């Protein structure tokens, strides 16, 4: 979606949009996610997963692992696919990153503000250009904002600088596109520059958070890899990098796996783990952080079949996100434009992003997972840099053939996935004491069931504990006897527990309990000895 469309869509009804502030506050209040090193004032771009957050994250992680490695999907020919798991080291021989192109090219264009000393990713900045002559004044400032800045803030700045500028008559474009725009003396209209049109004067740019123009530097490349050193002596030879993606471990182990694991192309190598990127502007909570987790799978196939597998995986991965509870209307597939393709994807089918409608991108979408056709780029690079042959020998066909497999890569963010699940689950409900609840798919919910004795006497705790001791061995169950029952329900609504099981004063007589359903708040009486089976069945649905 272009920025112009984004501005248009912003005018649309926003009732479905949840507030990030509310979500972040809930995450802290209920122990999902805390700022890292908070007692020392935090550290930009780093977050800690609290007791509830780690349960949620592990559930998503385990689901991916299960659906990729333990029971991979059934392929187009009706047979289960073969995918093996891997856990490679975060620090690798630095030559890996030279071969992969990260040492030379893994960088973003950055601009600095000389006034505020802030640093921005150039492609995250937008400018407002008047599209009519009446509005355009060659001496007037051109305002620069960080993408996603609320409209009220933009209008406030226009007022503060006393500009006669109407946003509805402006074109909102990425700063990186500025040189494509210009004006003509005759007509004055802002146009995509044809020959003879004058360029927009960059010295008129007013950076975010400053009043005067011309404080932004030219864009410069900034490498995103974190550096460290291995060994006692710190010199050029000891320099190492924290991995910026998990994928390269799959490529460097490709030969080991082909030679030792009796796999045949096509097959996949899957890995979940931490990745580190020194993001210039970490933001939007855990969406863009400097330390995060990825779930990546490299699918090695014959070059002639790459198109088929690319289509297979993009559909399969979208379905997977739906299966873990992300609604179809908040997901979209977006094919990358030619000019955003990574070096490796240019020659192949390209890249499709699976995008989610995050609260801060609403009503637009942001990347959740990328499905890329990496061609044979990585294997060729590692062949060149390591001197080891990566060719695959296929004797299943006549005549036998040798080839370098092509790779289709579904690369998902586990950390971003958690954010999508939280945003998706967050449901306002003014009729409840908690005013909201988290509507997780029960199989992903951090706590599946809570056992609650109505009062702490009359033999109820004993019955409740017996039930709890049995259930806790099957799935994540909490025993909660503190405070009144309304407050306990409210807390479990806030952490998204699908089933609250209350042992009340009738239980000793009728040997039954009440199950309260999170989403409807309906209550159902169920025999004590049937409760566990009831919850277990619901978790499988
Ligand atoms: P972006 O365009 O948002 O920077 P990317 O295209 O560079 O992402 P990939 O290299 O394809 O991302 O990484 C795969 C996945 O890893 C992304 O789809 C995203 O979910 C996740 N990811 C990438 N960078 C970050 C980050 N800084 N914080 C959290 N998750 C990230």
């Amino acid at each position: 979606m272009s920025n112009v469309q984004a501005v248009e869509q912003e005018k649309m009804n926003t009732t479905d949009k949840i507030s990030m502030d509310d979500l972040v506050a809930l995450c802290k209040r209920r122990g999902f996610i805390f700022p890292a090193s908070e007692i020392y004032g935090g550290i930009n771009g780093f977050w800690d997963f609290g007791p509830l957050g780690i349960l949620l994250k592990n559930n998503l992680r385990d689901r991916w692992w299960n659906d990729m490695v333990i029971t991979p999907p059934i392929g187009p020919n009706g047979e289960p696919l073969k995918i093996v798991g891997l856990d490679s080291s975060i620090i690798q021989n630095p030559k890996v990153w030279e071969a992969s192109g990260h040492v030379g090219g893994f960088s973003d264009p950055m601009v600095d503000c000389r006034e505020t000393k802030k640093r921005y990713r150039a492609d995250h900045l937008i400018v407002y250009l008047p599209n009519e002559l009446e509005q355009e004044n060659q001496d007037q400032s051109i305002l620069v904002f960080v993408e996603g800045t609320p409209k009220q803030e933009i209008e406030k700045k226009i007022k503060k600088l006393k500009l006669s500028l109407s946003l509805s008559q402006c074109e909102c474009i990425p700063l990186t596109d500025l040189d494509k725009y210009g004006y003509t003396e005759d007509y004055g209209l802002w146009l995509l520059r044809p020959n003879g049109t004058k360029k927009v004067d960059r010295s008129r740019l007013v950076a975010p958070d400053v009043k005067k123009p011309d404080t932004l530097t030219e864009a410069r490349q900034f490498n995103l890899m974190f550096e460290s050193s291995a060994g006692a002596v710190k010199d050029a030879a000891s320099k190492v990098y924290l991995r910026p993606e998990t994928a390269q471990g799959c490529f460097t182990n490709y030969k080991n796996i082909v030679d030792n694991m009796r796999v045949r192309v096509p097959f996949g190598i899957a890995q979940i783990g931490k990745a580190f990127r020194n993001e210039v502007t970490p933001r939007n909570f855990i969406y863009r952080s400097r330390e995060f987790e990825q779930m990546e799978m490299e699918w090695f196939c014959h070059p002639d079949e790459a198109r088929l597998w690319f289509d297979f995986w993009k559909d399969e991965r979208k379905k997977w996100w739906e299966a873990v509870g992300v609604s179809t209307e908040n997901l979209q597939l977006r094919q990358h434009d030619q000019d955003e393709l990574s070096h490796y994807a240019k020659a192949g089918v390209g890249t499709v992003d699976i995008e989610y409608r995050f609260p801060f991108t609403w009503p637009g979408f942001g990347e959740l997972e990328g499905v890329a056709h990496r061609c044979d780029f990585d294997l060729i690079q590692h062949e060149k840099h390591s001197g080891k042959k990566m060719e695959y020998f296929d004797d299943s066909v006549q005549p036998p053939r040798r080839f370098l497999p092509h790779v289709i890569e579904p690369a998902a963010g586990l950390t971003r996935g958690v954010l999508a699940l939280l945003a998706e689950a967050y449901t306002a409900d003014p009729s409840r004491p908690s005013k909201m609840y988290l509507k997780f798919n029960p199989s992903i919910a951090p706590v599946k069931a809570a056992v609650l004795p109505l009062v702490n006497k009359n033999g109820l705790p004993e019955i409740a504990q017996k039930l709890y001791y049995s259930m806790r061995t099957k799935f994540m169950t909490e025993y909660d006897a503190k405070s009144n029952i309304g407050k306990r329900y409210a807390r479990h609504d806030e952490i998204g527990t699908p089933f609250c099981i209350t042992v009340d004063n009738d239980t000793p007589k009728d040997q039954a309990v009440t199950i309260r359903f999170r989403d409807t708040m309906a209550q159902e009486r169920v025999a004590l000895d049937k409760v566990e089976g009831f919850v277990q069945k619901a978790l499988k649905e």
Side-chain angles (χ1 to χ4, degrees):
M1 183 169 62
S2 74
N3 287 298
V4 185
Q5 281 170 307
V7 172
E8 273 310 304
Q9 283 206 23
E10 211 181 303
K11 296 175 195 152
M12 287 167 33
N13 172 344
T14 56
T15 48
D16 287 333
K17 188 175 157 186
I18 66 159
S19 128
M20 271 312 276
D21 289 348
D22 290 348
L23 184 65
V24 173
L26 173 85
C27 282
K28 172 146 186 217
R29 191 170 71 247
R30 287 305 181 196
F32 282 93
I33 298 160
F34 306 122
S37 327
E38 195 180 11
I39 56 169
Y40 293 101
I43 168 165
N44 196 10
F46 298 88
W47 299 89
D48 292 342
F49 279 77
L52 269 292
I54 184 64
L55 288 172
L56 178 63
K57 177 151 72 77
N58 286 355
N59 287 345
L60 188 63
R61 178 199 68 184
D62 294 348
R63 179 70 176 264
W64 188 92
W65 192 257
N66 185 67
D67 295 345
M68 279 292 182
V69 180
I70 313 293
T71 45
I74 304 293
N77 67 358
E79 284 176 25
L81 304 181
K82 179 76 181 167
I83 301 178
V84 295
L86 179 75
D87 183 11
S88 68
S89 187
I90 285 174
I91 292 179
Q92 300 278 341
N93 186 317
K95 287 184 184 148
V96 169
W97 309 114
E98 285 165 27
S100 68
H102 286 91
V103 168
F106 187 55
S107 51
D108 282 329
M110 304 302 315
V111 289
D112 289 309
C113 176
R114 286 183 283 261
E115 179 89 4
T116 61
K117 308 288 173 233
K118 286 189 184 166
R119 174 169 281 181
Y120 306 94
R121 240 175 87 168
D123 57 339
H124 288 169
L125 291 176
I126 49 166
V127 294
Y128 283 89
L129 288 183
N131 53 18
E132 296 291 342
L133 177 62
E134 300 92 76
Q135 279 220 37
E136 169 55 3
N137 165 354
Q138 296 302 309
D139 302 324
Q140 198 169 58
S141 303
I142 298 169
L143 301 184
V144 182
F145 294 95
V146 175
E147 200 178 40
T149 304
K151 220 162 140 198
Q152 302 90 298
E153 230 172 272
I154 295 172
E155 271 158 358
K156 227 159 84 191
K157 184 153 183 183
I158 291 176
K159 224 165 158 185
K160 216 177 192 172
L161 297 184
K162 298 195 174 73
L163 301 178
S164 56
L165 200 67
S166 155
L167 276 193
S168 61
Q169 287 166 11
C170 280
E171 193 112 346
C172 170
I173 62 158
L175 178 64
T176 43
D177 280 355
L178 192 66
D179 288 342
K180 294 184 191 159
Y181 286 74
Y183 64 94
T184 59
E185 300 285 1
D186 300 346
Y187 300 103
L189 292 173
W190 290 100
L191 296 166
L192 277 174
R193 293 183 62 229
N195 287 344
T197 313
K198 289 190 180 165
K199 269 193 189 180
V200 177
D201 179 4
R202 282 181 174 264
S203 68
R204 292 165 59 197
L205 296 175
V206 180
D209 305 321
V210 290
K211 289 188 197 146
K212 60 176 195 196
D214 207 14
T215 63
L216 287 177
T217 62
E218 286 289 314
R220 288 191 288 249
Q221 296 304 115
F222 174 83
N223 195 289
L224 295 185
M225 278 203 294
F226 276 102
E227 289 175 14
S228 187
S229 54
V233 183
K234 197 172 171 188
D235 59 16
S238 69
K239 184 150 106 180
V240 290
Y241 303 95
L242 304 192
R243 69 178 172 201
E245 61 173 30
T246 54
Q248 291 306 320
C250 302
F251 296 120
T252 53
N253 283 288
Y254 160 81
K255 216 176 138 39
N256 274 338
I257 288 174
V258 168
D259 291 348
N260 300 305
M261 297 305 301
R262 305 180 350 132
V263 286
R264 307 208 59 82
V265 168
F267 76 96
I269 306 178
Q271 165 150 238
I272 299 176
K274 291 251 174 166
F276 303 81
R277 294 183 190 176
N278 195 5
E279 295 279 359
V280 184
T281 41
R283 64 206 164 106
N284 295 327
F285 197 27
I286 55 171
Y287 178 84
R288 186 173 302 287
S289 45
R290 288 178 167 148
E291 174 175 342
F292 56 97
E293 275 174 272
Q294 293 185 308
M295 309 186 285
E296 298 197 292
M297 197 274 293
E298 309 306 316
W299 181 254
F300 299 86
C301 61
H302 188 275
D304 294 348
E305 294 179 351
R307 167 97 243 177
L308 176 139
W309 288 114
F310 180 76
D311 290 339
F312 174 84
W313 280 113
K314 80 177 188 316
D315 295 340
E316 194 63 29
R317 294 303 305 149
K318 180 162 178 277
K319 275 192 262 165
W320 186 84
W321 284 108
E322 288 162 355
V324 296
V326 181
S327 62
T328 310
E329 70 194 43
N330 285 334
L331 279 176
Q332 74 170 17
L333 289 176
R334 189 183 67 87
Q335 180 85 37
H336 276 209
D337 298 334
Q338 196 58 29
D339 60 357
E340 2 163 26
L341 286 180
S342 4
H343 44 302
Y344 55 79
K346 281 222 162 72
V349 183
T351 296
V352 158
D353 282 345
I354 301 174
E355 298 187 325
Y356 179 70
R357 202 194 297 266
F358 289 97
F360 47 83
T361 58
W362 206 100
F365 293 77
E367 176 176 338
L368 178 59
E369 168 163 354
V371 181
H373 179 196
R374 298 181 74 119
C375 303
D376 47 10
F377 174 82
D378 304 88
L379 292 182
I380 288 186
Q381 286 298 103
H382 288 303
E383 217 174 53
K384 262 197 228 152
H385 285 252
S386 70
K388 304 279 183 313
K389 277 262 164 251
M390 299 283 168
E391 257 182 358
Y392 177 75
F393 178 65
D394 185 3
D395 58 3
S396 72
V397 288
Q398 276 313 320
R401 56 187 180 177
R402 282 181 194 280
F403 62 90
L404 260 188
H406 275 199
V407 172
I408 306 299
E409 174 198 73
L414 172 57
T415 322
R416 252 185 221 182
V418 169
L419 180 58
L421 289 185
L422 282 164
E424 182 72 28
Y426 195 105
T427 312
D429 181 357
S431 74
R432 310 182 178 222
S434 56
K435 307 289 180 230
M436 56 71 62
Y437 63 105
L438 287 180
K439 199 178 179 175
F440 291 124
N441 181 320
S443 66
I444 290 291
V447 178
K448 313 294 185 206
V451 180
L452 318 170
L454 184 64
V455 289
N456 249 335
K457 55 185 180 186
N458 306 339
L460 305 192
E462 290 74 10
I463 301 175
Q465 288 219 354
K466 194 166 165 222
L467 180 63
Y468 164 67
Y469 272 86
S470 169
M471 284 176 45
R472 70 193 278 272
T473 61
K474 315 291 183 334
F475 40 78
M476 184 68 201
T477 311
E478 264 196 10
Y479 181 82
D480 191 352
K482 280 198 205 98
S483 70
N484 72 45
I485 193 75
K487 281 200 180 137
R488 280 182 272 168
Y489 284 156
R491 174 174 171 266
H492 283 286
D493 278 351
E494 281 195 311
I495 66 170
T497 309
F499 308 106
C500 281
I501 297 154
T502 308
V503 175
D504 59 24
N505 287 320
D506 289 335
T507 307
K509 291 172 245 158
D510 66 0
Q511 292 300 302
V513 290
T514 298
I515 299 188
R516 175 187 180 272
F517 297 86
R518 175 197 64 200
D519 301 351
T520 57
M521 293 187 284
Q523 305 203 355
E524 193 177 320
R525 202 77 187 154
V526 175
L528 250 181
D529 59 358
K530 297 272 184 305
V531 178
E532 198 173 295
F534 183 96
V535 176
Q536 226 148 14
K537 184 163 170 276
L539 293 179
K540 288 205 185 99
E541 276 167 7

